Amino acid sequence: MKKLIQIIKGIDQKVLPLDLDCSLVQVRKELTEKGIMRDSVLFCYDGSAKIDKTDEHDFKLSVVLKGRNKLILTDIESKRPDLLGDHVDWLRDRHLAVQVRLNMVG
Protein backbone atom coordinates (compact mmCIF):
# COMPACT_ATOMS: atom_id res chain seq x y z
CA MET A 1 0.00 0.00 0.00
CA LYS A 2 1.45 3.37 -1.01
CA LYS A 3 1.14 6.38 1.26
CA LEU A 4 2.32 9.98 0.89
CA ILE A 5 5.43 10.32 3.05
CA GLN A 6 7.18 13.57 3.97
CA ILE A 7 10.91 13.06 3.55
CA ILE A 8 13.07 15.39 5.65
CA LYS A 9 16.81 15.79 5.11
CA GLY A 10 18.19 18.89 6.84
CA ILE A 11 16.12 21.79 5.51
CA ASP A 12 15.09 19.88 2.36
CA GLN A 13 11.59 18.41 2.44
CA LYS A 14 9.75 16.45 -0.22
CA VAL A 15 6.49 14.51 -0.26
CA LEU A 16 6.46 11.25 -2.23
CA PRO A 17 4.22 8.19 -2.41
CA LEU A 18 6.11 5.23 -0.94
CA ASP A 19 5.12 1.61 -0.32
CA LEU A 20 4.88 0.99 3.45
CA ASP A 21 5.59 -2.74 3.07
CA CYS A 22 8.91 -2.39 1.26
CA SER A 23 12.33 -2.63 2.91
CA LEU A 24 14.60 0.36 3.42
CA VAL A 25 16.87 -1.08 0.72
CA GLN A 26 14.04 -0.58 -1.79
CA VAL A 27 13.29 2.90 -0.40
CA ARG A 28 16.98 3.85 -0.72
CA LYS A 29 17.00 2.66 -4.34
CA GLU A 30 13.91 4.72 -5.20
CA LEU A 31 15.13 7.86 -3.40
CA THR A 32 18.60 7.55 -4.97
CA GLU A 33 17.03 7.36 -8.43
CA LYS A 34 15.07 10.55 -7.64
CA GLY A 35 18.25 12.34 -6.49
CA ILE A 36 17.17 12.65 -2.84
CA MET A 37 19.67 10.23 -1.30
CA ARG A 38 23.34 9.53 -1.79
CA ASP A 39 25.66 6.96 -0.18
CA SER A 40 26.41 9.01 2.94
CA VAL A 41 22.73 9.49 3.86
CA LEU A 42 21.25 7.28 6.59
CA PHE A 43 17.68 6.63 7.72
CA CYS A 44 16.76 7.78 11.24
CA TYR A 45 14.64 5.62 13.51
CA ASP A 46 12.77 6.61 16.67
CA GLY A 47 13.94 10.23 16.59
CA SER A 48 17.69 9.87 16.83
CA ALA A 49 18.90 6.33 16.10
CA LYS A 50 20.60 5.94 12.73
CA ILE A 51 20.15 2.71 10.77
CA ASP A 52 23.35 1.35 9.31
CA LYS A 53 23.17 0.59 5.59
CA THR A 54 24.03 -3.06 6.24
CA ASP A 55 20.87 -3.39 8.38
CA GLU A 56 18.43 -1.70 5.98
CA HIS A 57 17.17 -5.05 4.64
CA ASP A 58 15.88 -5.86 8.17
CA PHE A 59 13.58 -2.82 8.39
CA LYS A 60 10.29 -2.18 6.62
CA LEU A 61 9.34 1.42 5.96
CA SER A 62 6.21 1.03 8.12
CA VAL A 63 8.36 0.03 11.13
CA VAL A 64 10.62 3.08 10.79
CA LEU A 65 7.68 5.46 10.36
CA LYS A 66 5.85 4.06 13.44
CA GLY A 67 2.45 5.16 12.13
CA ARG A 68 3.64 8.65 11.19
CA ASN A 69 4.17 10.06 7.71
CA LYS A 70 7.66 11.58 8.19
CA LEU A 71 10.85 9.87 7.11
CA ILE A 72 13.95 11.58 8.50
CA LEU A 73 17.28 11.24 6.69
CA THR A 74 20.66 12.48 7.86
CA ASP A 75 23.84 12.97 5.85
CA ILE A 76 26.83 11.81 7.90
CA GLU A 77 29.35 13.40 5.53
CA SER A 78 27.90 16.90 5.35
CA LYS A 79 29.94 19.92 6.49
CA ARG A 80 27.94 21.04 9.56
CA PRO A 81 26.25 18.97 12.30
CA ASP A 82 22.46 18.75 12.62
CA LEU A 83 20.57 18.00 15.84
CA LEU A 84 21.07 14.27 15.27
CA GLY A 85 24.82 14.77 15.53
CA ASP A 86 25.32 14.93 11.81
CA HIS A 87 25.86 17.78 9.42
CA VAL A 88 23.35 20.40 8.24
CA ASP A 89 22.79 24.13 8.85
CA TRP A 90 19.11 23.99 9.79
CA LEU A 91 16.49 21.67 11.25
CA ARG A 92 12.92 22.51 10.25
CA ASP A 93 9.63 20.93 11.32
CA ARG A 94 6.29 22.47 10.34
CA HIS A 95 6.38 26.06 11.72
CA LEU A 96 9.61 25.79 13.71
CA ALA A 97 13.07 26.26 12.22
CA VAL A 98 16.26 26.02 14.26
CA GLN A 99 19.78 27.01 13.29
CA VAL A 100 22.62 25.81 15.49
CA ARG A 101 26.06 27.44 15.60
CA LEU A 102 28.99 26.78 17.88
CA ASN A 103 30.69 29.76 19.48
CA MET A 104 34.29 29.22 18.43
CA VAL A 105 35.61 32.58 19.70
CA GLY A 106 38.70 32.61 21.91
Side-chain angles (χ1 to χ4, degrees):
M1 175 178 92
K2 287 204 172 198
K3 180 178 177 182
L4 284 178
I5 305 298
Q6 183 179 12
I7 300 162
I8 302 169
K9 184 177 82 177
I11 62 169
D12 296 330
Q13 298 184 29
K14 299 200 184 308
V15 177
L16 296 172
L18 296 173
D19 186 357
L20 296 178
D21 295 323
C22 67
S23 72
L24 292 184
V25 172
Q26 294 166 305
V27 174
R28 175 178 289 279
K29 181 180 177 195
E30 185 173 342
L31 296 181
T32 301
E33 288 171 358
K34 293 183 185 301
I36 297 170
M37 288 188 85
R38 58 184 189 173
D39 259 1
S40 62
V41 174
L42 298 178
F43 293 100
C44 297
Y45 176 71
D46 205 19
S48 61
K50 291 168 257 180
I51 300 171
D52 192 84
K53 286 182 4 182
T54 59
D55 296 326
E56 288 179 357
H57 63 279
D58 292 332
F59 288 88
K60 284 190 174 185
L61 180 59
S62 59
V63 171
V64 174
L65 293 175
K66 295 176 85 173
R68 300 182 197 114
N69 70 336
K70 289 186 180 180
L71 180 61
I72 300 175
L73 308 175
T74 187
D75 189 343
I76 59 172
E77 292 182 3
S78 189
K79 293 181 183 175
R80 297 184 181 172
D82 65 8
L83 294 180
L84 297 173
D86 296 318
H87 306 283
V88 295
D89 296 324
W90 287 86
L91 179 65
R92 184 175 308 185
D93 186 16
R94 290 168 288 182
H95 302 291
L96 175 67
V98 179
Q99 183 177 22
V100 179
R101 289 187 181 163
L102 296 175
N103 183 356
M104 301 301 283
V105 178

